[in-house]
Amino acid sequence: MAKILIPSSLIPLTGAVLQCLLLAKEQGFSIDEIELGVSPTQFIQLVLGQNTFRVGTDLIDVCEEAETADFVLYYQSGLSVSECRQQPSSAIFIGIQDVESKLDDSVKTTSADVLDIWRHPVNDEIRALSVASTSRTTTLQTDQHLAWTVTLLALDFPIEDALTLARPMTNVSRETLINGETMVKQEWASQFADFPTPVLEDCRLGIKVGWSSHGQSVNFPHLSKQSLGLYPVVDDVSWIERLLPLGINTIQLRIKDPYQPDLEQQIARAIELGRQYDAQVFINDYWQLAIKHGAFGVHLGQEDIEDSNLSQLSTA
């Protein structure tokens, strides 16, 4: 059982959250165990099992007790990008105008026009999303964004996913003709262009995920297949020998033991099979061996990305 408790000063938000839940239900999410109610405090309270999360916002007065909230969404802070870095861990800044990167050529960033900035609740690292001026999600309906953020958190989305999806969900709709009248119906976001872009490097915020080299963005080629289709992840090359003849065109070899005696032989054989069947064979983790034997691609986790040589990978 989950509860979304909304303070009386934000009661109109209840209807917006209900609409979000109903749209989520159309996508297959279970909402039967989610109840809406009134919060006895100035915070939105999310009661998820044994845990209660308190969400504040500057759409109503934020008092000194905001420091006790798990998240506080600021839509009208007026802070600069650099100033956001000095704020409390619970603060989430939505729609920060990125004017610094336009004025200072030394600023290495994604050159976004708008940034959403927050700290990861576990490791306290700063995260950010960029929204280009050409995106229709730049203009934000703050109440809808808040409603979607709260709804997605109640549906057990982690905060970074909730913020990423809340952006396009506030602006995705289509017009339909019902009984001779034009009605606007909200849709679930599905177009890549509507989504914000994760910020992977920004010196002002201390973000450096690793997708750049010497301050320059690193670009990788696109997948050659129009559709991935079924994408098996296997732990032994024998599976690749069985699956590629069946028409699988994308597959990943994921051997987790780096001390496996035949590790390099398996990787080399997998890559050879990929060439034989014109398939996209990805090697998990072992990027040096993947480059050595000419793999189509590699699959890297975040820690592996930070330890790898992206420039070398992008030109391999």
Side-chain angles (χ1 to χ4, degrees):
M1 177 67 69
K3 295 181 180 180
I4 303 175
L5 306 179
I6 298 173
S8 56
S9 54
L10 282 174
I11 282 300
L13 189 69
T14 303
V17 170
L18 179 58
Q19 291 301 313
C20 295
L21 287 170
L22 292 175
L23 184 55
K25 184 178 181 179
E26 292 179 7
Q27 299 300 311
F29 289 94
S30 175
I31 67 169
D32 295 337
E33 298 296 315
I34 299 178
E35 293 183 358
L36 292 175
V38 178
S39 171
T41 73
Q42 65 172 347
F43 298 108
I44 299 169
Q45 296 189 67
L46 300 176
V47 183
L48 309 176
Q50 300 298 317
N51 300 314
T52 299
F53 298 93
R54 306 195 334 156
V55 180
T57 174
D58 64 351
L59 297 181
I60 56 175
D61 291 336
V62 180
C63 71
E64 296 178 357
E65 292 184 8
E67 296 180 358
T68 65
D70 295 282
F71 305 113
V72 181
L73 281 82
Y74 293 93
Y75 293 96
Q76 44 203 14
S77 70
L79 296 178
S80 67
V81 173
S82 299
E83 289 171 331
C84 291
R85 187 176 184 177
Q86 312 303 323
Q87 303 307 308
S89 298
S90 60
I92 299 174
F93 298 99
I94 305 299
I96 298 297
Q97 296 295 321
D98 187 13
V99 297
E100 294 168 306
S101 61
K102 299 176 181 178
L103 300 175
D104 186 352
D105 292 337
S106 67
V107 173
K108 300 296 183 183
T109 186
T110 54
S111 297
D113 290 306
V114 173
L115 293 174
D116 296 343
I117 303 168
W118 73 98
R119 287 183 181 271
H120 192 280
V122 176
N123 57 28
D124 206 39
E125 292 179 353
I126 295 181
R127 305 287 174 86
L129 298 170
S130 67
V131 184
S133 59
T134 54
S135 172
R136 59 176 169 171
T137 62
T138 303
T139 302
L140 193 66
Q141 302 176 47
T142 54
D143 55 340
Q144 282 294 314
H145 183 274
L146 178 59
W148 270 111
T149 302
V150 169
T151 299
L152 293 166
L153 289 173
L155 291 171
D156 208 25
F157 280 67
I159 185 62
E160 55 267 30
D161 291 347
L163 293 172
T164 301
L165 187 53
R167 265 282 176 182
M169 288 307 302
T170 61
N171 293 75
V172 177
S173 61
R174 63 181 172 87
E175 293 184 350
T176 57
L177 195 64
I178 300 177
N179 296 327
E181 295 186 11
T182 300
M183 306 291 290
V184 177
K185 177 178 174 59
Q186 189 172 18
E187 292 187 327
W188 195 265
S190 60
Q191 298 300 314
F192 179 78
D194 291 331
F195 283 79
T197 303
V199 174
L200 301 176
E201 183 175 25
D202 192 313
C203 59
R204 299 164 299 175
L205 297 172
I207 298 175
K208 188 175 182 181
V209 175
W211 288 102
S212 63
S213 178
H214 305 294
Q216 300 297 317
S217 295
V218 176
N219 296 313
F220 290 85
H222 294 288
L223 294 176
S224 60
K225 305 296 182 184
Q226 290 296 318
S227 174
L228 291 181
L230 181 64
Y231 178 25
V233 178
V234 300
D235 60 0
D236 193 277
V237 72
S238 61
W239 281 105
I240 298 179
E241 292 175 336
R242 298 181 204 175
L243 293 172
L244 293 191
L246 299 178
I248 297 296
N249 60 33
T250 305
I251 197 165
Q252 180 188 139
L253 179 63
R254 183 177 185 265
I255 300 175
K256 297 310 293 179
D257 182 5
Y259 303 106
Q260 184 165 317
D262 63 344
L263 175 65
E264 183 168 357
Q265 291 91 331
Q266 288 221 29
I267 290 175
R269 175 59 177 157
I271 294 168
E272 178 187 346
L273 287 166
R275 295 195 189 99
Q276 180 181 340
Y277 289 96
D278 189 27
Q280 299 175 155
V281 175
F282 289 84
I283 305 301
N284 188 300
D285 286 351
Y286 308 104
W287 61 272
Q288 297 97 330
L289 291 175
I291 290 176
K292 177 180 177 180
H293 294 283
F296 173 83
V298 294
H299 177 98
L300 300 175
Q302 181 169 319
E303 292 181 359
D304 300 310
I305 289 173
E306 294 172 350
D307 293 336
S308 65
N309 186 323
L310 292 181
S311 294
Q312 188 177 351
L313 281 168
S314 67
T315 57

